[in-house]
């Protein structure tokens, strides 16, 4: 994932960052998890801070758990034995870690060199910032922003449908994706494939919605 960041506007108490925790929630992720965790391992030298990793598995029936245990013995592997949903599993992972910064990354996502370090530095430089996210590099080479505004009714109707396919520059969609002429400022929300939080922000907001 490229180094440029978008910032959220969650204000938190000032706190320095001395350690990093990484949380990955899996469900039948054997095809992707090895590459994801290798990219996290490769980020250790860039970050130059204590870093721990926990994988919370939501009852996979493939080889996800066995693969993590075999190839990443330093990763804390926790199996829920059933699918609790992303939010509840992520909260378990957050609770089992202690890093001042917490990276939540999907198992099918990978960190590019320097990406995690850049996110940590951004959190360090803006002490009232609660969360940052990197740009997303798609498999076809497209660079996608994780920044979003809250959708209007038109954006909700058009997003991901044939309307978007034929009218990709629809004003409602351009506003939703923050690709219009007024895209400055903080986004309303960030796509959750890779999010780096200040732990204090997660604590003060109660973590993830367990219904998600």
């Amino acid at each position: 994932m490229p180094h440029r960041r978008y910032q959220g506007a969650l204000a938190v108490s000032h706190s320095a960052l001395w350690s990093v925790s990484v949380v990955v929630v899996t469900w039948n992720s054997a095809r992707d998890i090895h590459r994801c965790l290798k990219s996290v391992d490769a980020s250790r030298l860039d970050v130059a801070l204590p870093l721990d990793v926990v994988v919370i598995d939501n009852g996979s029936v493939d080889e996800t758990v066995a693969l993590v245990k075999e190839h990443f013995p330093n990763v804390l592997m926790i199996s829920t034995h059933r699918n609790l949903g992303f939010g509840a599993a992520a909260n378990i992972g957050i609770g089992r870690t202690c890093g001042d910064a917490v990276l939540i990354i999907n198992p099918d996502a990978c960190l590019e060199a320097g990406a995690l370090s850049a996110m940590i530095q951004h959190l360090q430089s803006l002490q009232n910032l609660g969360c940052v996210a990197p740009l997303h590099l798609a498999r076809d080479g497209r660079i996608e922003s994780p920044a979003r505004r809250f959708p209007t009714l038109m954006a909700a109707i058009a997003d991901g449908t044939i309307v978007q396919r034929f009218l990709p520059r629809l004003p409602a969609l351009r506003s939703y994706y923050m690709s219009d002429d007024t895209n400055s400022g903080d986004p309303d929300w960030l796509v959750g494939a890779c999010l780096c939080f200040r732990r204090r922000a997660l604590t003060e907001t109660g973590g993830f919605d367990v219904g998600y």
Side-chain angles (χ1 to χ4, degrees), residues 33-211:
I33 190 62
H34 189 277
R35 186 164 171 259
C36 174
L37 292 179
K38 286 288 287 185
S39 76
V40 171
D41 267 348
S43 298
R44 291 180 183 272
L45 292 177
D46 292 334
V47 174
L49 293 171
L51 187 151
D52 65 308
V53 185
V54 59
V55 172
I56 308 296
D57 185 73
N58 262 335
S60 293
V61 296
D62 64 1
E63 299 301 314
T64 300
V65 173
L67 190 154
V68 172
K69 288 182 176 179
E70 178 181 356
H71 295 283
F72 302 93
N74 293 326
V75 169
L76 177 60
M77 180 76 239
I78 299 174
S79 179
T80 65
H81 302 293
R82 64 187 180 92
N83 194 341
L84 300 178
F86 176 83
N91 287 342
I92 291 173
I94 294 165
R96 293 296 297 270
T97 60
C98 57
D100 300 312
V102 182
L103 180 78
I104 312 290
I105 184 170
N106 285 356
D108 60 349
C110 295
L111 293 167
E112 286 195 349
L116 180 56
S117 176
M119 287 186 277
I120 297 299
Q121 290 173 16
H122 201 53
L123 285 176
Q124 292 275 31
S125 65
L126 296 173
Q127 289 291 306
N128 67 335
L129 188 62
C131 178
V132 294
L135 291 176
H136 299 169
L137 180 62
R139 295 183 187 276
D140 61 6
R142 288 179 295 111
I143 294 178
E144 302 173 344
S145 168
R148 298 289 188 274
R149 291 196 182 95
F150 291 133
T152 62
L153 177 60
M154 177 59 72
I157 293 172
D159 183 47
T161 70
I162 194 170
V163 176
Q164 183 178 24
R165 179 180 176 184
F166 287 102
L167 297 172
R169 297 184 62 81
L170 190 71
L173 287 174
R174 287 176 55 78
S175 175
Y176 174 59
Y177 284 99
M178 297 187 69
S179 58
D180 55 12
D181 294 332
T182 60
N183 64 354
S184 60
D186 295 330
D188 293 324
W189 62 282
L190 298 165
V191 174
C194 181
L195 299 171
C196 191
F197 293 91
R198 194 181 303 273
R199 179 175 292 275
R200 185 72 62 86
L202 290 170
T203 301
E204 292 182 0
T205 57
F208 283 86
D209 183 347
V210 297

